[in-house]
Amino acid sequence: MPISSQDPTTGLSQAEAAQRLQADGPNVMPGEQPRRLAAIVQETLKEPMFMLLLAAAVLYGVLGEWQEGGILMGLVVVVLGLTLYQEGKTERAMQALRQLSSPRALVLRDGQPQRIAGQDVVVGDILVVAEGDRIAADAVLLDGSELMADESLLTGESTPVDKLAVPAGSDMPTALPPQAGGNQTPFLYCGTLVVKGHGTARVLATGERTAMGRIGSALQSLQAEASPLRAQTARLVRTLAVVALAASVCLVLAYGLMRGDWMGAVLAGIALAMALLPQEFTVVLTVLPALGAWRLSKLQVLTRRIAAIETLGATSVLCVDKTGTLTENRMTVAQLYAYGGTQADATLAVDYSAQSELPEAFHTVAEFAILASVQDPYDPMELAFHRLGAHFLQGTEHLHRDWTLVREYGLTPQLRAMSHVWTITQDHTRIVAAKGAPEAVVDLCHLPEAERLRIASAVDAMAGQGLRVLGVAQGQFEGTDWPAQEHDFTFHFVGLLGLQDPLRPGIPDAVAQCHTAGIRVVMITGDYPATAHAIARTAGLAQGDAAGVLSGDEIATLDDAALRSRMREVAVCARVAPAQKLRIVQALQADGQVVAMTGDGVNDAPALKAAHVGIAMGGRGTDVARESAALVLLDDNFASIVGAIRLGRRIFDNVRKSMSYILAVHVPIAGMALLPVLLGWPTVLFPLHIAFLELVIDPACSMVFENEPAETDGMRHPPRDVQAPLLGQRTLGLALLQGAGALAVVMAAQWWAMGQWGEDGGRAFAFITLVLGNLGLIFCNRSHLPLWRSVATPNRTLWVVCSVALLLTLAAVYLPWLQGLFAFAPMPGDGLALAVGLGLLCVLWFEALKAWQRRPLAA
């Protein structure tokens, strides 16, 4: 079927859309592709550790030790396989996040509006676009109201352009013009932004066939961007690399001059460099945050910027919207107020189950509220008015059957009200319906002060019940030139509507968890202050009085210093304009707070961008808000934000535990590669031994610690200082002391064992002790709690890694062909038992240090 002949009110069927998606392919730009296996292998082989392993294998071959060289090459392949597994898992997680972060589109399918991924849009789809939407594909505008688009991404012109729908009765374009962009045209282009108005459009081109695709731009890609933590760690790795190089050169010279074995000196130097290089740091900072982002997506939180995970757990103030985040965004008109003028006012609690029609006094309130609403609504509040009409006024069709909408006045920051002008077909009378914030509608009606106070009292009574209150007015227009503003109409106040939006289940508990974790929750809403305070009180945000409520009008009167001071005690910000959110964020940041901010609209973008962690609403949020945010809340639920903060703390804790383990374990390895040589003892660790140890260290630092559950008290302590280094002095000192203790035990083990079982026996005994000390470090660094309390915490990966390490160690000691490769002698049973005892001694040392570290915290 030609696309121009399709019914724009129904759109494509699901079957037609599936066929076109199969034929044309997904609607994606020629942008960043996932890394291929060959690219990952190439990057991995460039790592210094692999280059050292390969150099050692070649040297063994030069020396004629083909068996040792072959085994070392085999270990290279095994370590490479582990690395590829970790990188592949990370890449799959990142690719899944890229797909989630692609633009969304609202389309008509089978006559029903559906929100789909932008990549699923096909030619012929009917797009429903509104202010703040990113256009998902090239399209032609079928109808629209004052629609303007920002095409700067495509044309470079910063001024938004008007878009006009194709005139009724004219031929529908089936192809795009050669020149993209332009003012007063019906064409919308992929990647451009709707900055005003709304409309529907038919898709003409997708993917590489769009104007943006022809240019070859890559939109919407998610990359693991450099973060402060990665930069800090990169500096540490570079420093240690220089130290490793210098120490290795010195060791080669000392070994060669002392023993005259220059080939052995080179092998010893390579072993020391491998022992000193903490290349696992970069693995940890790639794998743990990326897989953490994947875990966040399971909590309905999409990570658009990986670096935000570092800050998420340090959040000290959480600023949230009320509607749809704390509440269900499922509005119902619960109360009506009919203004009596010179007569008595009337109030009605709406009961949908017991009532079938409204008393006559309330008909006008309901009818004019519907006339001032969108005809085909998607917004929950607009839908609530239409449900009211459908239930009590026998539907809303009779209001529109003989009426024609001729003029619309939208909400503006200056006037929180909207008006619709209707013409009655029979007598051409023009009727004006307005609804909006009660104070704005009262202002339109130019009421005397006594009447304003009378209505304000009714608003306060309704708002005190937690209802969102809107005012309604009616008027007539008899002129010929449309007024520039709504104040030029003559309005009469009709009444009020109170909308109920229930709290989401579990909100009070989630707020209590935030307070326990030292996180302040500030509710920011455009609602009336009394409504906002009632909701906040129910949610557990505010106490009985309204002292903690700050209004937008008050914010406008405060300078930056006064606002900063006021925000220290505020739990609710009401009647806040979107532009004021930025000032709130900046005031909190200036006071030293780490701010997470939620938002959903175009005007929220500056505040989302300025916040330490911007959180866009995925369900109802605009594309521009999503693009400005670091995280996207896919279910718009406050409880998901709290879960994300808990997981953010877990991710950061696990990164710190892993880094501390890496630092600690490299101390005995580097010491055993260096000290025996300097003391004239036989060499203990050759490159083969260190490659073997890497089989334990690599999966331990990434997979074991990534799977470690959150600490039981993770949400019972204040947020960490975001400026503090990952490895502070206490953590760094603890890791070095752990490593030094293990080194002392292993050195003593080798010294004693050489006298008992000779060089090879001493090497085997020291190596077993070192492996057991390594495993002890893993267990003791899992948690800051004592080992006897944390050992039962489930972590299947931990037991797999430890079991494999022990089996491989026993095989190296007791299998004859491996004994020769590792230069080991078989260990008698009592020697093995003694090595286990020394491993337990290391554990006792580690636990004593943890107890010493905990003591000041408990004092």
Side-chain angles (χ1 to χ4, degrees), residues 458-687:
V459 171
D460 287 339
M462 296 172 72
Q465 303 171 48
L467 300 178
R468 183 171 188 175
V469 186
L470 294 181
V472 181
Q474 64 171 325
Q476 288 190 350
F477 178 66
E478 299 177 354
T480 55
D481 297 328
W482 295 114
Q485 56 180 352
E486 294 162 88
H487 275 287
D488 294 333
F489 291 112
T490 301
F491 282 108
H492 302 286
F493 192 76
V494 172
L496 303 169
L497 300 96
L499 294 110
Q500 188 176 51
D501 186 10
L503 276 181
R504 288 180 180 270
I507 290 298
D509 180 59
V511 170
Q513 290 181 48
C514 286
H515 291 163
T516 302
I519 302 170
R520 282 180 55 208
V521 182
V522 178
M523 185 177 82
I524 300 177
T525 178
D527 272 353
Y528 195 71
T531 302
H533 186 259
I535 294 292
R537 192 169 59 245
T538 306
L541 288 174
Q543 302 303 317
D545 57 50
V549 178
L550 178 64
S551 70
D553 291 339
E554 185 180 351
I555 291 175
T557 65
L558 299 175
D559 60 21
D560 291 343
L563 179 60
R564 185 166 64 248
S565 174
R566 189 79 169 88
M567 285 304 302
R568 292 172 187 155
E569 57 189 29
V570 163
V572 179
C573 296
R575 276 292 187 257
V576 172
Q580 291 177 320
K581 290 185 177 182
L582 177 59
R583 286 198 66 203
I584 292 173
V585 168
Q586 291 172 334
L588 290 167
Q589 289 175 327
D591 204 35
Q593 304 294 335
V594 177
V595 183
M597 178 80 178
T598 68
D600 58 5
V602 175
N603 292 327
D604 293 336
L608 292 174
K609 197 85 171 178
H612 294 102
V613 181
I615 306 172
M617 301 295 104
R620 68 181 192 277
T622 60
D623 287 338
V624 70
R626 287 161 57 96
E627 291 165 7
S628 300
L631 304 176
V632 178
L633 198 60
L634 299 178
D635 62 357
D636 295 358
N637 191 342
F638 176 78
S640 296
I641 302 177
V642 180
I645 292 174
R646 183 186 299 107
L647 185 55
R649 290 190 175 192
R650 168 189 166 182
I651 293 168
F652 189 87
D653 281 348
N654 287 347
V655 168
R656 181 159 50 193
K657 292 172 186 176
S658 181
M659 303 285 256
S660 179
Y661 159 74
I662 292 168
L663 194 61
V665 79
H666 274 274
V667 172
I669 295 175
M672 292 307 295
L674 176 65
L675 294 179
V677 176
L678 297 181
L679 294 173
W681 296 1
T683 302
V684 176
L685 297 181
F686 294 108

Side-chain angles (χ1 to χ4, degrees), residues 109-193:
R109 296 269 176 92
D110 293 316
Q112 298 297 319
Q114 296 182 23
R115 183 76 65 178
I116 64 174
Q119 63 182 10
D120 294 335
V121 172
V122 298
V123 172
D125 262 328
I126 302 300
L127 295 177
V128 181
V129 298
E131 180 180 338
D133 286 350
R134 185 74 70 181
I135 303 298
D138 288 1
V140 59
L141 189 63
L142 303 179
D143 70 84
S145 173
E146 300 181 344
L147 195 142
M148 298 183 71
D150 178 358
E151 297 181 340
S152 58
L153 193 64
L154 186 66
T155 66
E157 296 293 333
S158 59
T159 305
V161 294
D162 292 311
K163 294 296 177 179
L164 303 178
V166 175
S170 63
D171 293 335
M172 183 63 60
T174 58
L176 295 159
Q179 183 68 34
N183 192 32
Q184 303 285 319
T185 71
F187 298 105
L188 303 176
Y189 294 94
C190 177
T192 61
L193 183 68

Side-chain angles (χ1 to χ4, degrees), residues 533-849:
H533 186 259
I535 294 292
R537 192 169 59 245
T538 306
L541 288 174
Q543 302 303 317
D545 57 50
V549 178
L550 178 64
S551 70
D553 291 339
E554 185 180 351
I555 291 175
T557 65
L558 299 175
D559 60 21
D560 291 343
L563 179 60
R564 185 166 64 248
S565 174
R566 189 79 169 88
M567 285 304 302
R568 292 172 187 155
E569 57 189 29
V570 163
V572 179
C573 296
R575 276 292 187 257
V576 172
Q580 291 177 320
K581 290 185 177 182
L582 177 59
R583 286 198 66 203
I584 292 173
V585 168
Q586 291 172 334
L588 290 167
Q589 289 175 327
D591 204 35
Q593 304 294 335
V594 177
V595 183
M597 178 80 178
T598 68
D600 58 5
V602 175
N603 292 327
D604 293 336
L608 292 174
K609 197 85 171 178
H612 294 102
V613 181
I615 306 172
M617 301 295 104
R620 68 181 192 277
T622 60
D623 287 338
V624 70
R626 287 161 57 96
E627 291 165 7
S628 300
L631 304 176
V632 178
L633 198 60
L634 299 178
D635 62 357
D636 295 358
N637 191 342
F638 176 78
S640 296
I641 302 177
V642 180
I645 292 174
R646 183 186 299 107
L647 185 55
R649 290 190 175 192
R650 168 189 166 182
I651 293 168
F652 189 87
D653 281 348
N654 287 347
V655 168
R656 181 159 50 193
K657 292 172 186 176
S658 181
M659 303 285 256
S660 179
Y661 159 74
I662 292 168
L663 194 61
V665 79
H666 274 274
V667 172
I669 295 175
M672 292 307 295
L674 176 65
L675 294 179
V677 176
L678 297 181
L679 294 173
W681 296 1
T683 302
V684 176
L685 297 181
F686 294 108
L688 183 62
H689 300 108
I690 296 178
F692 179 91
L693 290 170
E694 286 296 320
L695 293 178
V696 180
I697 297 173
D698 268 0
C701 70
S702 57
M703 291 183 285
V704 170
F705 284 102
E706 195 281 326
N707 281 282
E708 194 62 31
E711 297 280 1
T712 55
D713 62 347
M715 290 292 283
R716 291 202 295 269
H717 60 76
R720 63 180 176 83
D721 182 0
V722 74
Q723 301 296 332
L726 176 66
L727 297 177
Q729 290 185 355
R730 291 177 60 85
T731 306
L732 189 62
L734 178 67
L736 293 177
L737 285 173
Q738 284 181 332
L743 174 61
V745 171
V746 175
M747 285 287 293
Q750 186 197 10
W751 175 79
W752 178 83
M754 283 192 302
Q756 299 294 318
W757 302 300
E759 178 181 328
D760 289 352
R763 182 179 295 109
F765 186 73
F767 189 79
I768 294 172
T769 305
L770 179 58
V771 170
L772 292 174
N774 183 355
L775 299 183
L777 273 173
I778 297 174
F779 275 93
C780 292
N781 279 279
R782 293 179 65 201
S783 172
H784 62 79
L785 297 175
L787 181 60
W788 63 270
R789 290 180 56 186
S790 64
V791 70
T793 304
N795 187 338
R796 187 177 62 178
T797 308
L798 167 70
W799 296 105
V800 170
V801 169
C802 291
S803 299
V804 171
L806 289 174
L807 289 174
L808 290 176
T809 302
L810 292 174
V813 173
Y814 291 106
L815 291 180
W817 67 279
L818 285 177
Q819 287 175 9
L821 292 175
F822 281 83
F824 288 162
M827 184 64 47
D830 56 348
L832 187 61
L834 182 58
V836 172
L838 291 177
L840 292 175
L841 180 63
C842 291
V843 170
L844 291 175
W845 169 248
F846 303 152
E847 286 297 302
L849 288 173

Side-chain angles (χ1 to χ4, degrees), residues 308-560:
I309 294 177
E310 291 179 26
T311 313
L312 184 60
T315 298
S316 60
V317 177
L318 179 54
C319 299
V320 296
D321 286 327
K322 176 186 76 68
T323 304
T325 306
L326 295 176
T327 64
E328 294 182 354
N329 203 19
R330 184 170 50 84
M331 294 190 181
T332 304
V333 177
Q335 195 169 118
L336 297 174
Y337 165 85
Y339 176 64
T342 59
Q343 307 297 319
D345 300 337
T347 302
L348 174 70
V350 181
D351 189 342
Y352 290 84
S353 61
Q355 297 171 323
S356 59
E357 60 181 34
L358 294 174
E360 188 63 32
F362 301 96
H363 269 243
T364 304
V365 180
E367 288 182 356
F368 275 86
I370 296 168
L371 287 171
S373 301
V374 177
Q375 288 181 267
D376 297 310
Y378 298 106
D379 182 79
M381 185 170 65
E382 301 286 300
L383 287 169
F385 298 134
H386 283 266
R387 279 197 299 270
L388 178 72
H391 189 86
F392 293 110
L393 302 177
Q394 292 74 50
T396 59
E397 293 82 2
H398 75 284
L399 296 176
H400 302 150
R401 189 180 301 119
D402 299 320
W403 300 53
T404 303
L405 182 63
V406 294
R407 183 75 174 178
E408 297 180 50
Y409 292 84
L411 290 165
T412 66
Q414 294 76 30
L415 184 66
R416 297 171 178 270
M418 60 187 296
S419 300
H420 286 174
V421 184
W422 297 83
T423 297
I424 301 176
T425 306
Q426 294 176 346
D427 56 9
H428 301 290
T429 302
R430 290 174 176 170
I431 300 296
V432 188
K435 78 172 191 301
E439 61 271 26
V441 175
V442 166
D443 189 46
L444 286 175
C445 296
H446 306 293
L447 293 172
E449 185 63 25
E451 296 305 301
R452 289 173 181 260
L453 294 175
R454 172 180 165 185
I455 295 170
S457 177
V459 171
D460 287 339
M462 296 172 72
Q465 303 171 48
L467 300 178
R468 183 171 188 175
V469 186
L470 294 181
V472 181
Q474 64 171 325
Q476 288 190 350
F477 178 66
E478 299 177 354
T480 55
D481 297 328
W482 295 114
Q485 56 180 352
E486 294 162 88
H487 275 287
D488 294 333
F489 291 112
T490 301
F491 282 108
H492 302 286
F493 192 76
V494 172
L496 303 169
L497 300 96
L499 294 110
Q500 188 176 51
D501 186 10
L503 276 181
R504 288 180 180 270
I507 290 298
D509 180 59
V511 170
Q513 290 181 48
C514 286
H515 291 163
T516 302
I519 302 170
R520 282 180 55 208
V521 182
V522 178
M523 185 177 82
I524 300 177
T525 178
D527 272 353
Y528 195 71
T531 302
H533 186 259
I535 294 292
R537 192 169 59 245
T538 306
L541 288 174
Q543 302 303 317
D545 57 50
V549 178
L550 178 64
S551 70
D553 291 339
E554 185 180 351
I555 291 175
T557 65
L558 299 175
D559 60 21
D560 291 343

